[in-house]
């Protein structure tokens, strides 16, 4: 059977494309392969920020300007493959924030959600929803979307933490809002520990409450609890070949992830344990809370010490080897991908 055989010249095609352009039309067949790769190829690169190298610069920023002046005194962790875009992975923002003794980072709120992983200092607090929480090393802290939040440091040492925000995701949806509070600090209406007592003690209020919409009502998951749970869990079962011992931070209201756009979890890799390769479609930001370990990410290998931050781009093989008992905090857009039916993982052979 004869099939249609258009015999256009390259010049004729180009002429056609030139006439499409003024009509804001374009030929799909010229770009289809780029739109639909056979598998994801992240634009982000594997990378590690050594806290020992970043810390002196962070402290120098403390001499340069006040937290109030800066609004948030943060050194953005820029993925080397995405310069100037304020992105650690393709969809996640990360930064190192410093607050000096006596300072206040003034109250504001925004539709992007924020999380913090505490790195240094014992006397910083954050206030959310009229309640304060003291932020200690290894604590996982949440600022829900559109919740007023301010931070302060009432001790005598600098305090620093890792910030994670879903800014690139929100920017993609063009759904970002921001508002300043009419005072430096929000008014405190609840005693410290209220949220943890009501929602973080394996009990829940009789009356259904949702203080922050889709976000967990617990806004500080203390490291002390997380660490104890991981260590106890490691006693009951051998570590998973790919995950080691991993528990995710959950929303007690529905058992889902703690936040609607950013998934967070902590992995305990016991000293000497080596995980088998795994890759997933979410790009991951990780910070070592405690221990010492090697992270192999794609063709890179990073020796992580405490407070170092590393990035594993989406669909990139990763594996860990612990030199000491290691507690690795991780966050990614996995929860968003899961809701959209996009998230996948692949597990390599366990040797
Ligand atoms: C923000 O509100 C904080 O509240 C930190 O500590 C970093 C980066 C971009 C936009 C808002 C904070 C931020 C941020």
């Amino acid at each position: 059977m004869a099939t249609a055989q258009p015999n256009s010249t390259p010049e004729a095609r180009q002429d056609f494309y030139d006439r499409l352009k003024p009509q804001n039309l374009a030929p799909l067949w010229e770009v289809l392969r780029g739109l639909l790769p056979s598998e994801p190829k992240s634009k982000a690169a594997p990378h590690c920020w050594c806290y020992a190298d970043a810390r002196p610069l962070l402290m120098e920023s403390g001499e340069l300007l006040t937290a109030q002046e800066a609004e948030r005194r943060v050194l953005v962790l820029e993925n080397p493959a995405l310069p100037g875009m304020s992105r650690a992975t393709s969809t996640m923002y990360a930064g190192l924030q410093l607050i000096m003794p006596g300072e206040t980072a003034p109250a504001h709120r925004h539709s992007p959600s924020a999380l913090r992983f505490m790195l240094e200092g014992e006397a910083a607090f954050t206030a959310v929803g009229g309640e304060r929480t003291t932020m200690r090393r290894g604590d996982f802290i949440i600022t829900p979307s559109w919740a007023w939040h301010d931070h302060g440091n009432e001790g005598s040492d600098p305090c620093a933490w890792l910030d994670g925000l879903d800014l690139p995701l929100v920017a993609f949806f063009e759904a970002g809002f921001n508002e300043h509070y009419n005072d430096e600090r929000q008014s405190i209406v609840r005693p410290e520990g209220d949220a943890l007592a009501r929602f973080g003690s394996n009990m829940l209020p009789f009356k259904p409450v949702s203080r922050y919409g889709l976000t967990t009502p617990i806004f500080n998951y203390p490291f002390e609890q997380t660490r104890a749970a991981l260590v106890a869990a490691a006693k009951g079962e051998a570590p998973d070949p790919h995950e080691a011992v991993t528990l995710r931070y959950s929303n007690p209201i529905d058992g889902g992830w703690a936040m609607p756009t950013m998934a967070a979890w902590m992995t305990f890799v016991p000293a000497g344990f080596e995980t088998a390769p795994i890759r997933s479609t979410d790009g991951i930001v990780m910070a070592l809370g405690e221990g010492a370990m090697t992270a192999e990410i794609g063709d890179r290998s990073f020796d992580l010490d405490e407070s170092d931050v590393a990035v594993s781009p989406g669909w990139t093989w990763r594996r860990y080897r612990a030199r000491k008992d290691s507690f690795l905090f991780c966050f990614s857009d996995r929860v968003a991908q899961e809701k959209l039916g996009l998230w996948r993982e692949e597990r390599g052979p366990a040797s």
Side-chain angles (χ1 to χ4, degrees):
M1 224 177 72
T3 47
Q5 290 280 321
N7 61 359
S8 61
T9 61
E11 292 74 24
R13 289 187 185 190
Q14 191 54 53
D15 172 70
F16 177 63
Y17 300 164
D18 291 347
R19 284 181 289 116
L20 289 177
K21 212 166 191 171
Q23 304 299 326
N24 299 299
L25 296 167
L28 174 63
W29 57 91
E30 291 290 335
V31 293
L32 186 56
R33 268 199 198 100
L35 291 176
L36 268 184
S38 54
E39 63 172 24
K41 270 195 186 56
S42 178
K43 291 188 182 72
H47 190 69
C48 174
W49 292 267
C50 269
Y51 194 61
D53 295 332
R55 189 182 184 279
L57 296 164
L58 188 60
M59 294 304 153
E60 202 179 322
S61 76
E63 317 267 297
L64 221 56
L65 77 176
T66 64
Q68 203 174 6
E69 216 183 328
E71 185 159 348
R72 295 294 185 267
R73 191 200 288 109
V74 177
L75 297 183
V76 177
L77 300 177
E78 286 205 314
N79 190 286
L82 307 166
M85 298 183 74
S86 301
R87 294 176 188 207
T89 68
S90 296
T91 61
M92 298 283 105
Y93 161 100
L96 296 174
Q97 181 159 174
L98 171 70
I99 184 152
M100 298 298 277
E103 283 189 330
T104 300
H108 67 187
R109 64 176 176 177
H110 34 73
S111 45
S113 299
L115 61 78
R116 337 259 167 213
F117 182 67
M118 203 56 195
L119 299 177
E120 178 171 343
E122 295 285 317
F125 70 84
T126 191
V128 170
E131 182 181 338
R132 269 189 187 188
T133 188
T134 305
M135 305 195 280
R136 299 191 174 88
R137 211 187 135 68
D139 290 357
F140 166 55
I141 318 270
I142 288 171
T143 306
S145 172
W146 210 238
W148 295 112
H149 56 287
D150 46 283
H151 321 300
N153 178 351
E154 300 193 323
S156 46
D157 296 312
C159 292
W161 59 82
L162 170 70
D163 280 319
L165 284 93
D166 54 8
L167 286 166
L169 265 187
V170 176
F172 176 77
F173 289 115
E174 298 182 328
F177 294 87
N178 176 53
E179 195 177 355
H180 286 97
Y181 195 65
N182 59 13
D183 210 345
E184 286 279 282
R185 290 187 177 179
Q186 65 184 283
S187 11
I188 299 303
V189 298
R190 279 193 275 260
E192 176 153 6
D194 183 88
L196 202 60
R198 282 175 211 279
F199 304 102
S201 312
N202 297 320
M203 308 192 85
L204 289 173
F206 257 20
K207 257 192 266 163
V209 267
S210 159
R211 284 191 179 166
Y212 309 114
L214 299 174
T215 305
T216 171
I218 305 170
F219 65 106
N220 187 347
Y221 292 72
F223 183 51
E224 201 182 351
Q225 278 187 16
T226 307
R227 190 187 190 289
L230 286 165
V231 169
K235 295 199 169 106
E237 249 175 49
D240 180 88
H242 298 87
E243 296 171 8
V245 186
T246 295
L247 294 172
R248 62 184 176 84
Y249 298 97
S250 75
N251 181 342
I253 305 293
D254 61 7
W257 297 96
M259 309 177 77
T261 51
M262 291 188 283
W265 62 96
M266 187 172 266
T267 292
F268 166 35
V269 191
F273 192 80
E274 184 172 344
T275 59
I278 185 170
R279 62 177 175 176
S280 49
T281 49
D282 53 326
I284 301 166
V285 181
M286 54 189 86
L288 189 61
E290 185 188 318
M293 60 181 276
T294 303
E296 280 179 25
I297 302 172
D299 57 4
R300 303 288 306 275
S301 176
F302 304 110
D303 285 336
L304 304 184
D305 287 311
E306 285 174 3
S307 301
D308 290 353
V309 180
V311 158
S312 177
W315 212 239
T316 303
W317 292 105
R318 61 182 190 271
R319 64 189 309 186
Y320 310 134
R321 192 167 51 249
R323 285 174 274 133
K324 297 179 189 167
D325 277 357
S326 293
F327 296 85
L328 186 70
F329 171 79
C330 299
F331 73 92
S332 79
D333 65 9
R334 174 171 170 170
V335 51
Q337 289 200 31
E338 283 179 353
K339 283 180 201 161
L340 298 173
L342 295 170
W343 187 82
R344 283 201 207 184
E345 71 170 7
E346 184 181 355
R347 294 178 175 224
S351 50

